[in-house]
Amino acid sequence: MSNNVNALPRHVAFIMDGNGRWAKKRGLPRTAGHREGAKVLRRLIRDLSDIGIEYATFYAFSTENWKRSDEEVSALMKLLEENLDDLVNYENENIRLRFIGGRERLSPLLCEKMQKGEDKSRDRTGMTVTIAINYGGRDDIVRAAKKSAELISEGYLKPDDLTEDLFTSMLQTEDIPPVDLMIRTGGEIRISNFLIWQISYAELYFTDTLWCDFGKKDLEKAIDEYMTRNRRYGDAR
Ligand code: IPE
Ligand code: IPE
Ligand code: MG
């Protein structure tokens, strides 16, 4: 495309929304939507990797999603447990897997699988896939604030030496670049406490397409639009 102004986004983040509505439309329980959504996630990881995206981050469960019924929460947790094995075994795709979000409330089995996945894929050189489970942007910032407060109270850091870059490195996304493109499916126009610090200059893309219907064509459309946007960063260009 001749009017592209940006290169491919390095980091694409996804708010995978609309699974419940997808299931409802078909007269199925919400959990059937989540099951289908997990398939879409696995397919999309391949597509992203084929396109050449370096970092992809997926919102799987928010700190607010605990408000849902016990039945839905346990179905979501079980699906995560089931799908992690496949995600980890993306040997050929050379995917490096990471997780963000608080692990305190997660089951020992899920935590064990997450840890194994990270350990097993740590040295892979392909796309970095980050899955956000029990993640909240505000929680991420408070955890980083606590870390910096500890460093200061222990005398390792002076308040004046706390810079934006240093603070960024204390977030759970420590070694991941800022988000270039954030895509939300499912029609809502909000961030729902996802990577609120990390999207400060991201391009936002909202689509009515439900997550379960989101495919490679939709991804390419979002990326094409991103590539034509003038990011400007406060400059007057
Ligand atoms: C997104 O789909 C998946 C999670 C939040 C875990 P929803 O379950 O929010 O689906 P809708 O928004 O109710 O359709
Ligand atoms: C955002 O979706 C969280 C995830 C996709 C994991 P929600 O469905 O929870 O968001 P709200 O409640 O509509 O803001
Ligand atoms: Mg939703």
Side-chain angles (χ1 to χ4, degrees):
M1 231 190 280
S2 54
N3 57 344
N4 282 352
V5 288
N6 297 312
L8 272 181
R10 273 188 90 196
H11 182 180
V12 185
F14 294 87
I15 301 177
M16 310 185 277
D17 197 22
N19 297 351
R21 278 162 285 163
W22 182 89
K24 197 174 172 202
K25 273 202 329 204
R26 283 163 180 74
L28 299 168
R30 294 178 58 83
T31 48
H34 297 315
R35 188 166 297 280
E36 181 66 21
K39 281 191 210 155
V40 171
L41 167 65
R42 285 161 52 181
R43 261 203 312 269
L44 211 71
I45 289 175
R46 287 170 207 266
D47 295 336
L48 285 156
S49 173
D50 290 346
I51 292 171
I53 301 300
E54 289 176 66
Y55 297 88
T57 303
F58 296 92
Y59 206 6
F61 193 92
S62 75
T63 47
E64 287 71 35
N65 287 146
W66 296 105
K67 292 176 192 160
R68 299 188 179 198
S69 70
D70 290 350
E71 189 198 352
E72 183 168 352
V73 169
S74 29
L76 279 164
M77 292 298 159
K78 194 147 179 279
L79 266 177
L80 284 166
E81 284 170 10
E82 286 168 15
N83 277 280
L84 282 194
D85 292 329
D86 284 334
L87 285 180
V88 175
N89 291 325
Y90 272 126
E91 305 281 0
N92 300 332
E93 277 93 340
N94 201 14
I95 301 290
R96 190 165 73 101
L97 200 58
R98 284 174 96 281
F99 297 93
I100 52 175
R103 299 195 188 180
E104 322 75 45
R105 287 182 78 173
L106 307 181
S107 76
L109 176 64
L110 182 56
C111 289
E112 193 189 306
K113 287 191 177 202
M114 288 160 70
Q115 190 61 51
K116 262 197 194 143
E118 286 183 334
D119 292 345
K120 194 169 170 195
S121 67
R122 193 176 311 278
D123 297 326
R124 295 185 189 168
T125 52
M127 181 170 72
T128 297
V129 170
T130 303
I131 315 269
I133 307 176
N134 187 25
Y135 178 85
R138 288 182 166 208
D139 179 64
D140 195 2
I141 293 170
V142 168
R143 283 170 198 263
K146 280 186 189 157
K147 272 190 212 166
S148 54
E150 270 165 26
L151 290 175
I152 289 168
S153 71
E154 286 161 11
Y156 295 113
L157 182 68
K158 292 197 189 71
D160 278 347
D161 294 336
L162 184 60
T163 59
E164 287 188 13
D165 283 346
L166 185 58
F167 192 76
T168 300
S169 74
M170 293 188 207
L171 294 164
Q172 295 179 305
T173 46
E174 50 187 342
D175 53 350
I176 299 173
V179 177
D180 296 305
L181 170 61
M182 170 168 291
I183 298 174
R184 180 172 189 143
T185 61
E188 312 294 355
I189 318 287
R190 55 174 171 262
I191 301 302
S192 302
N193 199 19
F194 198 23
L195 304 158
I196 52 181
W197 173 284
Q198 298 87 339
I199 60 163
S200 59
Y201 257 107
E203 294 298 323
L204 308 179
Y205 182 92
F206 297 96
T207 171
D208 287 336
T209 303
L210 304 175
W211 177 253
C212 296
D213 296 324
F214 192 82
K216 190 171 188 191
K217 288 257 171 339
D218 303 289
L219 173 66
E220 284 170 346
K221 192 168 162 223
I223 292 177
D224 279 348
E225 177 171 326
Y226 164 87
M227 289 170 81
T228 63
R229 290 197 193 168
N230 181 359
R231 298 191 73 184
R232 219 176 280 121
Y233 289 105
D235 203 338
R237 291 169 290 167

